[in-house]
Amino acid sequence: MKFFVKEILPYVAIVAAVLLLNKFVLINAKIPSQSMETTLMTHDRLFGNRLAYMNEDPQRHDIVIFRYPDDETQLFVKRLIGLPGDTIELRDGVVYINGEKDEDQEEFTSTNRHDNYGPVTVPEGCYFMLGDNRAHSNDSRFWNNTFVKREQIVARAGFRYWPLNQIGFVNKHAKN
């Protein structure tokens, strides 16, 4: 018994703490594609904060981790563009929200597309997501289920830990 308490119990406690953190506080995410470049690069790894939206709603331009509406077994990482009730439209690649140009998009979009989309109105309790690299993003524009429901949002992306030379917070528009 003394051996167990001294040698094994600390490891059991560490494993239990990590599992609890992973289940209730943090989520570990890997960026599988170029859809969020240049904000997040392919193969970047980051932690998301599962508690971020416990007492507040997601905000426009947050980078969020959510269950893909067409297959909830997959997690996606995208930028939240449309809030409930917003009308979203892309004209010549420029995002318009409720008829007004989204001036902030130039801070994080990496390609100059000239496609058109919408207008669509975001239903109550739902959100519209776009990748920062619009030319290479499977996002709300292309899904069968266009909108992400509030309960599908798992976390707000927070801290990139890989690659080591890019360590730091990634959600510039959110309180981390």
Side-chain angles (χ1 to χ4, degrees), residues 21-23 29 37 39 43 46 50 56 60 64 68 83-84 99 116 129 132 140-141 146:
L21 269 173
N22 191 49
K23 179 74 174 164
E37 292 181 358
T39 306
H43 306 299
L46 57 97
R50 290 181 184 267
E56 64 181 61
R60 185 179 332 279
V64 297
Y68 174 43
L83 299 170
N116 297 304
M129 307 292 180
D132 288 356
S140 284
R141 298 170 293 168
T146 304

Side-chain angles (χ1 to χ4, degrees), residues 3 6 53 72 86 103 114 116 154 161 166 170 175:
F3 173 78
K6 187 175 181 180
Y53 301 124
E72 290 196 31
D86 283 347
E103 301 290 342
H114 297 287
N116 297 304
V154 176
Y161 65 89
Q166 294 292 316
V170 296
K175 298 169 272 176

Side-chain angles (χ1 to χ4, degrees), residues 20-166:
L20 287 171
L21 269 173
N22 191 49
K23 179 74 174 164
F24 298 108
V25 180
L26 298 176
I27 188 165
N28 186 16
K30 180 180 178 183
I31 308 303
S33 72
Q34 56 189 332
S35 71
M36 286 299 292
E37 292 181 358
T38 58
T39 306
L40 298 169
M41 305 302 284
T42 306
H43 306 299
D44 280 4
R45 290 196 160 269
L46 57 97
F47 290 120
N49 179 358
R50 290 181 184 267
L51 303 177
Y53 301 124
M54 207 162 119
N55 295 318
E56 64 181 61
D57 289 326
Q59 302 296 307
R60 185 179 332 279
H61 301 135
D62 281 358
I63 300 171
V64 297
I65 302 167
F66 58 93
R67 298 194 186 290
Y68 174 43
D70 291 345
D71 177 2
E72 290 196 31
T73 64
Q74 296 183 57
L75 292 177
F76 273 31
V77 178
K78 303 284 182 209
R79 190 172 300 274
L80 190 156
I81 298 296
L83 299 170
D86 283 347
T87 298
I88 305 298
E89 184 175 10
L90 277 80
R91 287 185 245 143
D92 292 325
V94 176
V95 175
Y96 289 84
I97 302 169
N98 301 321
E100 301 288 324
K101 181 180 177 184
D102 182 9
E103 301 290 342
D104 290 332
Q105 73 179 331
E106 294 171 11
E107 287 183 43
F108 42 78
T109 54
S110 64
T111 57
N112 188 8
R113 296 273 315 227
H114 297 287
D115 30 345
N116 297 304
Y117 177 84
V120 295
T121 300
V122 182
E124 284 303 312
C126 295
Y127 300 89
F128 187 88
M129 307 292 180
L130 289 176
D132 288 356
N133 186 357
R134 307 267 160 77
H136 300 282
S137 181
N138 177 18
D139 51 40
S140 284
R141 298 170 293 168
F142 306 109
W143 302 334
N144 291 327
N145 298 295
T146 304
F147 306 103
V148 175
K149 295 176 185 166
R150 174 66 180 86
E151 56 271 13
Q152 292 170 317
I153 295 176
V154 176
R156 180 173 56 215
F159 189 80
R160 176 179 20 216
Y161 65 89
W162 187 263
L164 295 176
N165 65 343
Q166 294 292 316

Side-chain angles (χ1 to χ4, degrees), residues 1-16:
M1 185 64 160
K2 196 175 195 179
F3 173 78
F4 176 79
V5 170
K6 187 175 181 180
E7 298 295 328
I8 305 296
L9 190 59
Y11 293 108
V12 170
I14 290 169
V15 168

